[in-house]
Amino acid sequence: QQARVMAHSRGDEAGEAESLYHLASLAYYTGRADEAFGVAVDARDLARKAGAVVVEVWALNLMGIVHSNAGNHSEALACCLRGLEQYRTTDHRVNEGGLLNTIAAIHHSLGDTDRAIVTYEAALTANKQLGRPDDDAITLTNMAQLRSQRGEVFLAASLGESALELSRQHAPAFVPDVLANLGEAYCSLGDSAHGAECFDEALELI
């Protein structure tokens, strides 16, 4: 809030837009989705006015996530695809894998698993070029969930193991979710002992 006030007093619209985006993110991660969406819209509009394309993309992506969580998947996809299109007009590449992961997850929610898989793989390719193993862990876990839902449980378990290894090293906060998904995959394979080990460790970490 202080950064926003200071940016506003100096006429720094790009800085104010970025402050608004971070406020929207904080609102989202503390469970205030409606507030997050409204502030993200303000951030998007001000960033667009200021020509701060990357901040506008961040805001669009957050709007898409809120839409998706509310079940508005078509609106979510439109926001995120627009964000990706604009992002690719910049020389900023750090977040491309994350943007693609969000788009893939929306395709997954819409039931378009083939397109989701292609987009998840594109996210992995982008992350490889950027050195983002933390994003890889999330993408691999999402891919494992999708493969499991398609009945491809051997592949789901393999992807889950890869996600677990990356999560332990680069995204420890994500490990319980990875373990829970991996436990489901092993139970589907009839390996209930290994599945129980995954669930027990997940519970212990939580």
Side-chain angles (χ1 to χ4, degrees):
Q1 286 282 17
Q2 288 176 328
R4 179 192 177 187
V5 170
M6 185 175 294
H8 183 77
S9 69
R10 294 177 176 177
D12 177 9
E13 291 182 332
E16 186 178 358
E18 185 170 353
S19 299
L20 282 169
Y21 164 73
H22 289 301
L23 287 169
S25 297
L26 286 168
Y28 174 73
Y29 286 114
T30 52
R32 294 171 287 140
D34 288 345
E35 179 183 341
F37 188 84
V39 179
V41 170
D42 291 340
R44 178 203 63 187
D45 292 345
L46 189 57
R48 184 176 295 166
K49 181 182 176 185
V53 178
V54 173
V55 177
E56 183 181 352
V57 169
W58 292 343
L60 281 165
N61 192 62
L62 181 55
M63 290 165 59
I65 290 170
V66 175
H67 267 311
S68 184
N69 289 342
N72 305 323
H73 301 305
S74 295
E75 293 88 343
L77 190 59
C79 283
C80 292
L81 287 174
R82 174 62 176 157
L84 180 64
E85 178 185 353
Q86 290 185 236
Y87 191 71
R88 285 175 170 168
T89 68
T90 74
D91 58 1
H92 193 281
R93 285 289 176 269
V94 179
N95 302 121
E96 184 163 348
L99 296 171
L100 285 164
N101 180 74
T102 302
I103 291 168
I106 296 168
H107 283 308
H108 187 178
S109 297
L110 286 165
D112 191 346
T113 57
D114 289 337
R115 186 166 294 182
I117 288 169
V118 170
T119 310
Y120 280 133
E121 288 173 349
L124 291 175
T125 300
N127 290 339
K128 189 178 298 183
Q129 296 170 355
L130 298 167
R132 291 297 303 268
D134 52 336
D135 279 353
D136 276 345
I138 297 170
T139 298
L140 286 168
T141 299
N142 290 344
M143 292 176 77
Q145 284 181 310
L146 188 155
R147 294 294 187 179
S148 182
Q149 289 174 7
R150 285 164 58 119
E152 301 164 353
V153 288
F154 284 102
L155 184 52
S158 176
L159 290 166
E161 288 287 0
S162 297
L164 182 59
E165 182 179 351
L166 284 173
S167 296
R168 290 194 194 282
Q169 297 178 50
H170 304 287
F174 203 57
V175 170
D177 287 328
V178 177
L179 283 164
N181 291 324
L182 186 56
E184 288 184 20
Y186 279 122
C187 288
S188 296
L189 286 170
D191 189 350
S192 57
H194 202 165
E197 289 177 8
C198 293
F199 287 124
D200 287 343
E201 185 183 351
L203 285 169
E204 183 179 348
L205 290 171
I206 289 170

